[in-house]
Amino acid sequence: MIDSHCHLTYPPLASQLDAVLSRAASAGVERMITIGTKIDDARQAVELCRRHSNIRAAVGIHPHHAAESAPDDIAALEALQRDPNVLALGEMGLDYHYDFSPRARQRELFVAQLELAKKAGCPIVIHCREALDDCMAILKDFPTLRAVFHCFTGTAPEARRILDAGYLIGLTGVVTFKRSDELRQVAGFIPDDRLLLETDAPYLAPEPHRKQRVNEPALVVHTAAAVAWVRNVSVEEIDRITSANALQFLDWK
Ligand SMILES: [Zn+2]
Ligand SMILES: [Zn+2]
């Protein structure tokens, strides 16, 4: 199984990484994508890949960090993207839920990273929260980019818009939460070739661990089980489909 989106550089995962990785291996989670969310974090993510052959990175500037990002960050990102361990740019996008950065600045930085992805010809990881109209409007200018909307938690019509535009959808442990009926409905209709699984660890631990512990890649199996259940297929089948999608999307050889 592949955890297509986690933050292994974040506390408390970073300080207990050996234990985290051995629990992942025991759970059958063989590969992981760790996501850098600002320049120093992205550097650490790339470093981490050098020490672990089953981990690759995506590097980007998260919309939360848009306000604090420096003018030369895009050049730094471009240099990092050339590292063979970096398979995608992101997460990047818009977050109008928390609004930690001014929206105009979020949009500006999103566009700058999309330009970079277009130049580099690499796939992108999108973080989009309560901002789908603006995200889609911006993406219209980049029709050739391959993208995943990670940690999708929107409505069924929103999921259909993303799928109709040709993008992938990443599902987290939120799909296991009691209140997530509409998200489970979404998990039921995403086509086989558009579905990725992720933890977004250390956040969003799935049920039955939601209240008790920090999330980590090993727990992606609970998300896989929930998705398998709504799609009425085996966990092995979900593993097969989503692992193949992740490898293909990221061109991970
Ligand atoms: Zn995110
Ligand atoms: Zn994330």
Side-chain angles (χ1 to χ4, degrees), residues 5 7 35 37 62-64 91-92 95 125-128 150-151 198 200 203:
H5 187 120
H7 299 276
I35 312 285
T37 54
H62 195 288
H64 287 347
E91 52 189 294
M92 61 171 84
D95 193 316
V125 180
I126 294 177
H127 173 106
C128 174
H150 107 89
C151 191
E198 57 168 296
D200 208 13
Y203 310 116

